[in-house]
Amino acid sequence: MATTLETSPLLQSRLPSGPIETAWDRARFEMKLVNPANKRKYSIIVVGTGLAGGSAAATLAELGYQVKCFCFQDSPRRAHSIAAQGGINAAKNYQNDGDSIYRLFYDTVKGGDFRAREANVYRLAQISVNIIDQCVAQGVPFAREYGGVLDNRSFGGAQVSRTFYARGQTGQQLLLGAYQALERQIGLGQVQMYPRTEMLDLIVIDGRARGIVTRNLITGQIEVHLADAVVLGTGGYGNVFYLSTNAKGSNCTAIWRAYKRGALFGNPCFTQIHPTCIPVSGDYQSKLTLMSESLRNDGRIWVPRRKGDMRPPNQIPEEERDYYLEERYPSFGNLVPRDVASRAAKAVCDGGRGVGPHGLGVYLDFSDAIRRLGEKTIRERYGNLFEMYELITGDNPYQVPMRIYPAIHYTMGGLWVDYHLMSTIPGLFVIGEANFSDHGANRLGASALMQGLADGYFILPYTMGDYLASAKLDKVSVDHPACKEAAGAVQERIKRLLSIQGKRTVDSFHRELGKLLWDECGMARNARGLRQALARIPEIREEFWRNVNVLGGNEELNQSLEKAGRVADYFELAELMCLDALERDESCGGHFREEHQTPEGEAQRDDERFCFVSAWQYTGEGKQPALHREPLEFHYVKPSQRSYK
Amino acid sequence: MRLILHVWRQKSPNDEGRMVRYETNHADPHMSFLEMLDVLNEELISNGEEPIAFDHDCREGICGSCGFMINGKAHGGHPGTTVCQLHMRHFKDGDELYLEPWRAKAFPVLKDLVVDRSAFDRIIAAGGFISVRTGSAPDGNDILVPKEAADRAMDAAQCIGCGACVASCPNASASLFVGAKISHLGSLPQGKPEQEIRAMRMVAQMNEELFGTCTNLGECEATCPKHIPLEVIARMNRDYLAASWKHR
Ligand SMILES: Cc1cc2nc3c(=O)[nH]c(=O)nc-3n(C[C@H](O)[C@H](O)[C@H](O)COP(=O)(O)OP(=O)(O)OC[C@H]3O[C@@H](n4cnc5c(N)ncnc54)[C@H](O)[C@@H]3O)c2cc1C
Ligand code: FES
């Protein structure tokens, strides 16, 4: 273990000492409390209304804080969390199949390939059970068994059934639960909601986060909002790849602006590829559609044994099919973790055995399950997913196997936070997918929803109280030079984007960047490719700032301008991702460096040299960012080569 | 594939607005409708013309952001399909299509095909929830929910809040939207305690916004991309009547 590594003094993780089972209880007991009557004197900005931001804003408001909440969509109900399909994990052990908090903790640490903090993950597993209770009470219509109890399904990377679900729309139902709680607080006047408003900068005064600069997306007005603390629940940055399963508006701007104001960025190169997405159909493709991983419960993945076998799937006899996951990983079969399943699909396609028009696809076949369970059961479990597949591809998956291919789906990296979910800027908290915390180098299915809600409902409301009760916060006003400077910088940047009036559209730049990043910093990476990308990205960025064409003005709804600002940030983030990927000279989880693999082609970690979190510090325009390390220690789950055989 | 599009262009909420004719030769049967518009927008920008504004986000039929009228039909009128999931294979070469924003007093146009649907949020804020504080919930399995009730609740809970029901209703009524939330929460034991007050408040807010009254025409059900059934409106009326009777 890399215990010889020094922790950077900037990275005070505030991990509780002592037995892990009671660590969160002790930490909570030691936290300072804000007296109920005083809570209304504090104001908190929450950016984001996904599972993380929505649940946090609602809960903080219930406690009595004055909350201002922001999202860029026209309603908080439309945050990207709405699209999550498969389910949410919780260690309830309702199935009596051997699950426990410890097992969920163990699976998550192992699934993350030993690059997450044990204490954080343990707390997450503990809280998972409260989340289900909370959501049931809110009226989330989880699937039920005939006796009226909650039903479960299994997900990748686990051998127990611990995933709770609401048909194929779990994210939607959980988000509507949080949204309704939020709307209730809006109705009560505890939350001021600002939809169609984008955060474009963070305001730091005397070293503390005290506000944000926003743009009203309808009028273009630039505003300063101040508060005693700022929370970012702004989601992941998968769209840096242009094509991803994220909603089109998902972006990195909020966390990137915070990074440039001094918040360290943790593990930017840890991105997740999802194995079951609908393959690309043409150049005009605008996004990729995920087919929930839960499908791997009943669907069997295969390709033809013979290269270039163009026969329709139902004419390929059983013995000429290669169920490669079942063969290679007999104990987990089709349910191996996402990174393993994705790389295996890439390998068979690279070997010329891919299916579909571009050869970039594998079959996900339900014919056995339909034979075994009947079409009705399959329809009940996955009806809406099958419908969605048919809408998009025109094929009926009850009759022909689905075609799937991996796509960018989730980003484990994000702003570095301590055990209290606070970034390196005091008063700036980061929750949900926007932080780097609990999933290490690979996230297990159904664990993002769990983390977002754990952060928002159950962790942040405590740690926020501790911060507010201990911090000495002077009154600040919008006339403070820091506010003027930040608002001025935002206006300047918008003016500059509108004045270029070049020849290329924003999307054309975004596509070019995305393709480069997918090729060199996607499912597999190597030093040569990463160096090439690091040389190429600044060139494209330079052309962007010289030749992009953003029509229209600022004082109106201007979707090209919104996109241009986001893409400008992606260029910078992409560079940091490649730098981090190059620096991390090992393979772990979703970060697969081709130089480091076992003879069987599995990711090979290097715990001697890389058992740490990389946290990057912005050092100025055009300067190389500084790397800080937080070594990881494992006292409970012994790091081992992951095996799903 | 070649298409002729007539698109509502309106620069701002107070602008007059008008239909503008465009032609594109770059539609492909495998594209989604929004991808077809993306491609058209790229062409427009290259010609120095501002792109057509439309709301969208997930492009998977679940966030409810997208939606406009195609030839007078909300989302284009294909069963169970939002416009982001509508594929061009449903159209043919040479088709002439008219794209207009949702038309309803309660949904003012902001720009081109983008409208303001915040009235829906205000209706939810008025009563579309179960009042339960974080941390005060009993164990999930302490509340038994018969599978049929859970299924009924889920059928109604699928509403994505897109506004197609309002746009397709000749009276611009929001009854399907409101009924869906009342049915979702009211079908579950957790939602019972507030069943009446919920109906009272949500209906009152709906009336305060500029939505019309329901006259049972059923256009909403026919165009709802999530197949929300008309029954939810009956349930809303029942809960509302029961509540008004008691709270006279
Ligand atoms: C298709 C799909 C399916 C998935 N299925 C599952 C699943 O089954 N189980 C699971 O556990 N996980 C799943 N995930 C992952 C999971 O959905 C996400 O990780 C999670 O929902 C993220 O929640 P969040 O609250 O952190 O952010 P989001 O839901 O992305 O919310 C971000 C919020 O921030 C706001 N925002 C962002 N930037 C700004 C800005 N600059 N200014 C103002 N507001 C801003 C947005 O408006 C939005 O409200 C899935 C993901 C995808 C893409
Ligand atoms: S874009 Fe989300 S429903 Fe169409």
Side-chain angles (χ1 to χ4, degrees):
Chain A
M1 264 203 289
T3 36
T4 46
L5 263 176
E6 287 281 317
T7 306
S8 161
L10 271 184
L11 304 176
Q12 298 297 331
S13 59
R14 293 199 272 175
L15 289 179
S17 51
I20 202 166
E21 292 83 358
T22 48
W24 174 231
D25 282 346
R26 268 177 285 122
R28 272 192 300 180
F29 181 70
E30 282 158 20
M31 281 179 204
K32 295 216 176 82
L33 299 173
V34 179
N35 139 357
N38 278 342
K39 289 208 175 83
R40 70 187 154 75
K41 296 185 189 149
Y42 288 104
S43 59
I44 301 167
I45 285 172
V46 179
V47 189
T49 59
L51 287 177
S55 60
T59 305
L60 292 168
E62 272 168 26
L63 288 170
Y65 297 110
Q66 300 290 329
V67 176
K68 276 188 178 185
C69 187
F70 300 81
C71 71
F72 65 75
Q73 292 90 349
D74 70 324
S75 162
R77 69 179 287 154
R78 306 201 204 282
H80 161 63
S81 295
I82 199 99
Q85 302 169 348
I88 177 166
N89 287 331
K92 284 285 199 186
N93 193 28
Y94 285 159
Q95 302 302 323
N96 195 25
D97 58 359
D99 199 10
S100 62
I101 287 171
Y102 199 89
R103 187 176 294 279
L104 175 54
F105 157 68
Y106 175 91
D107 286 348
T108 309
V109 170
K110 176 182 168 205
D113 218 1
F114 306 94
R115 290 294 175 264
R117 290 184 196 131
E118 281 190 327
N120 281 59
V121 177
Y122 196 88
R123 173 176 68 183
L124 178 63
Q126 278 176 312
I127 290 174
S128 69
V129 299
N130 306 109
I131 295 174
I132 300 306
D133 302 342
Q134 179 64 25
C135 296
V136 167
Q138 287 173 342
V140 170
F142 282 122
R144 300 274 167 169
E145 295 179 18
Y146 281 100
V149 294
L150 290 153
D151 192 20
N152 292 110
R153 53 168 56 143
S154 2
F155 245 59
Q159 288 170 307
V160 293
S161 261
R162 62 160 75 101
T163 305
F164 294 78
Y165 66 102
R167 290 197 193 139
Q169 294 113 296
T170 315
Q172 179 197 28
Q173 295 310 315
L174 295 174
L175 184 64
L176 291 181
Y179 158 74
Q180 285 161 203
L182 175 62
E183 285 295 339
R184 175 168 166 249
Q185 295 302 320
I186 294 172
L188 293 169
Q190 282 295 119
V191 176
Q192 251 179 299
M193 183 68 220
Y194 296 81
R196 292 206 199 262
T197 306
E198 185 165 24
M199 163 180 167
L200 293 178
D201 211 344
L202 179 76
I203 294 170
V204 182
I205 296 175
D206 298 332
R208 293 181 188 275
R210 294 306 299 269
I212 59 173
V213 181
T214 59
R215 177 169 179 271
N216 177 319
L217 299 182
I218 301 299
T219 63
Q221 195 175 353
I222 306 295
E223 281 181 2
V224 168
H225 297 269
L226 296 174
D228 295 307
V230 176
V231 181
L232 301 183
T234 50
Y237 52 88
N239 276 351
V240 63
F241 290 90
Y242 188 74
L243 287 181
S244 87
T245 60
N246 289 11
K248 289 292 285 178
S250 298
N251 69 89
C252 75
T253 291
I255 57 171
W256 193 252
R257 302 278 118 204
Y259 163 75
K260 293 184 89 170
R261 292 281 173 193
L264 267 57
F265 204 118
N267 298 331
C269 81
F270 286 175
T271 52
Q272 179 167 78
I273 315 282
H274 197 291
T276 52
C277 302
I278 301 179
V280 172
S281 72
D283 300 334
Y284 47 78
Q285 190 95 22
S286 61
K287 75 156 286 180
L288 295 170
T289 301
L290 174 83
M291 287 284 107
S292 167
E293 173 169 47
S294 60
L295 293 169
R296 288 200 273 146
N297 265 306
D298 289 309
R300 299 181 68 195
I301 294 178
W302 64 276
V303 290
R305 286 204 184 275
R306 189 158 51 77
K307 239 169 129 163
D309 188 340
M310 299 301 277
R311 287 174 294 175
N314 54 8
Q315 286 174 26
I316 301 181
E318 201 54 32
E319 60 284 2
E320 292 180 48
R321 300 175 175 193
D322 180 4
Y323 295 91
Y324 55 90
L325 288 178
E326 296 172 21
E327 265 173 39
R328 217 160 126 189
Y329 307 99
S331 65
F332 279 71
N334 291 298
L335 287 174
V336 291
R338 294 174 171 177
D339 53 334
V340 177
S342 298
R343 278 198 294 277
K346 178 171 160 37
V348 295
C349 293
D350 289 352
R353 295 192 290 143
V355 301
H358 307 277
L360 290 178
V362 301
Y363 289 125
L364 177 62
D365 194 337
F366 289 87
S367 47
D368 281 353
I370 291 174
R371 228 168 299 148
R372 198 175 67 240
L373 304 163
E375 191 171 314
K376 180 161 173 284
T377 307
I378 295 298
R379 195 177 297 277
E380 266 180 22
R381 286 189 190 166
Y382 312 109
N384 73 312
L385 297 172
F386 278 38
E387 242 174 64
M388 179 146 91
Y389 183 85
E390 187 171 357
L391 276 178
I392 293 175
T393 61
D395 288 343
N396 175 352
Y398 294 101
Q399 281 152 18
V400 288
M402 288 183 175
R403 278 181 300 112
I404 53 165
Y405 196 68
I408 284 286
H409 175 59
Y410 183 86
T411 51
M412 282 76 70
L415 292 185
W416 184 92
V417 289
D418 63 13
Y419 188 69
H420 289 220
L421 304 180
M422 191 160 90
S423 72
T424 50
I425 301 177
L428 178 69
F429 292 79
V430 191
I431 57 178
E433 192 174 338
N435 73 24
F436 89 105
S437 65
D438 300 350
H439 308 291
N442 175 55
R443 175 176 70 78
L444 290 183
S447 289
L449 303 184
M450 167 172 79
Q451 182 226 333
L453 291 179
D455 288 0
Y457 282 135
F458 295 106
I459 302 173
L460 183 80
Y462 281 96
T463 58
M464 178 61 81
D466 181 62
Y467 172 74
L468 295 173
S470 349
K472 268 198 52 65
L473 296 163
D474 296 326
K475 261 216 141 357
V476 290
S477 94
V478 291
D479 301 323
H480 193 283
C483 301
K484 295 243 155 79
E485 184 270 325
V490 165
Q491 267 151 347
E492 216 25 66
R493 202 167 116 106
I494 290 173
K495 230 184 258 160
R496 195 169 152 213
L497 285 169
L498 290 171
S499 67
I500 300 167
Q501 303 196 338
K503 295 224 152 41
R504 282 183 63 183
T505 63
V506 178
D507 276 357
S508 80
F509 282 105
H510 194 176
R511 271 178 211 278
E512 186 179 354
L513 174 71
K515 169 93 178 41
L516 176 69
L517 207 58
W518 174 248
D519 289 344
E520 309 302 352
C521 195
M523 227 182 309
R525 299 135 181 213
N526 61 54
R528 202 175 52 91
L530 289 166
R531 286 208 183 87
Q532 274 172 5
L534 281 167
R536 182 71 189 123
I537 294 167
E539 293 170 5
I540 316 176
R541 183 173 64 219
E542 186 275 328
E543 195 200 333
F544 173 86
W545 282 105
R546 185 167 44 76
N547 197 25
V548 74
N549 186 9
V550 184
L551 298 171
N554 174 57
E555 280 74 40
E556 60 176 321
L557 174 58
N558 187 338
Q559 294 173 325
S560 303
L561 177 62
E562 292 165 29
K563 280 197 276 194
R566 294 170 190 166
V567 172
D569 289 337
Y570 285 142
F571 278 116
E572 299 179 11
L573 168 63
E575 215 175 323
L576 187 67
M577 289 167 67
C578 291
L579 187 61
D580 186 44
L582 184 63
E583 199 67 27
R584 189 169 282 277
D585 192 15
E586 65 159 352
S587 292
C588 57
H591 171 63
F592 190 70
R593 281 285 298 265
E594 285 167 339
E595 301 93 322
H596 304 286
Q597 40 183 313
T598 64
E600 297 89 49
E602 308 289 355
Q604 188 150 44
R605 287 197 326 269
D606 182 346
D607 292 336
E608 284 293 313
R609 292 165 62 218
F610 291 100
C611 195
F612 60 76
V613 174
S614 303
W616 293 90
Q617 182 183 25
Y618 181 71
T619 54
E621 207 69 58
K623 295 206 187 110
Q624 173 106 349
L627 174 61
H628 297 261
R629 296 183 179 85
E630 179 197 342
L632 294 167
E633 289 180 22
F634 293 90
H635 299 292
Y636 295 85
V637 189
K638 268 227 123 5
S640 57
Q641 168 74 39
R642 286 190 310 171
S643 168
Y644 293 93
K645 296 238 177 231
Chain B
M1 208 162 128
R2 194 181 74 102
L3 291 175
I4 297 162
L5 299 170
H6 300 267
V7 184
W8 183 259
R9 300 303 306 259
Q10 178 175 337
K11 217 168 154 40
S12 65
N14 301 322
D15 184 45
E16 279 276 297
R18 69 206 154 93
M19 297 299 279
V20 178
R21 184 178 186 279
Y22 299 100
E23 258 187 65
T24 174
N25 289 314
H26 299 109
D28 180 299
H30 293 292
M31 284 176 175
S32 71
F33 202 91
L34 298 188
E35 283 169 344
M36 184 274 292
L37 284 183
D38 289 342
V39 172
L40 174 64
N41 273 342
E42 293 284 287
E43 289 174 16
L44 291 181
I45 298 172
S46 299
N47 297 334
E49 214 177 315
E50 276 189 45
I52 301 159
F54 56 90
D55 264 328
H56 67 104
D57 201 20
C58 73
R59 297 204 174 189
E60 291 188 5
I62 191 75
C63 75
S65 293
C66 69
F68 45 78
M69 309 297 276
I70 304 173
N71 290 348
K73 295 249 157 74
H75 291 299
H78 286 262
T81 310
T82 52
V83 70
C84 61
Q85 293 219 296
L86 178 62
H87 273 64
M88 297 311 294
R89 69 178 93 81
H90 297 293
F91 299 89
K92 50 184 197 313
D93 191 49
D95 270 357
E96 195 159 356
L97 306 174
Y98 290 79
L99 313 190
E100 286 183 86
W102 288 164
R103 297 279 187 207
K105 270 214 201 84
F107 290 165
V109 177
L110 296 171
K111 181 171 187 169
D112 300 344
L113 303 175
V114 178
V115 300
D116 178 354
R117 288 169 291 196
S118 54
F120 273 6
D121 291 323
R122 291 189 292 274
I123 294 175
I124 298 295
F129 46 74
I130 289 172
S131 303
V132 51
R133 249 193 337 277
T134 302
S136 59
D139 185 87
N141 264 350
D142 283 353
I143 309 170
L144 293 182
V145 181
K147 189 170 180 308
E148 305 76 56
D151 286 345
R152 217 175 320 115
M154 185 62 206
D155 287 342
Q158 298 194 72
C159 167
I160 57 175
C162 64
C165 47
V166 175
S168 56
C169 173
N171 307 324
S173 162
S175 295
L176 198 72
F177 171 78
V178 178
K181 189 46 63 191
I182 285 177
S183 300
H184 158 207
L185 297 176
S187 302
L188 297 169
Q190 304 91 299
K192 290 279 187 261
E194 289 170 296
Q195 180 172 327
E196 291 176 359
I197 189 88
R198 178 180 308 121
M200 295 275 281
R201 291 194 178 151
M202 290 181 78
V203 170
Q205 187 64 37
M206 170 171 77
N207 294 337
E208 213 161 284
E209 307 287 347
L210 300 169
F211 294 109
T213 27
C214 171
T215 50
N216 281 315
L217 297 171
E219 289 292 331
C220 53
E221 182 188 44
T223 45
C224 172
K226 297 293 142 179
H227 308 295
I228 307 286
L230 266 187
E231 294 149 37
V232 302
I233 300 184
R235 160 127 209 178
M236 170 182 81
N237 291 335
R238 212 169 57 231
D239 285 4
Y240 180 71
L241 271 179
S244 357
W245 180 251
K246 268 204 208 149
H247 298 268
R248 256 177 323 164

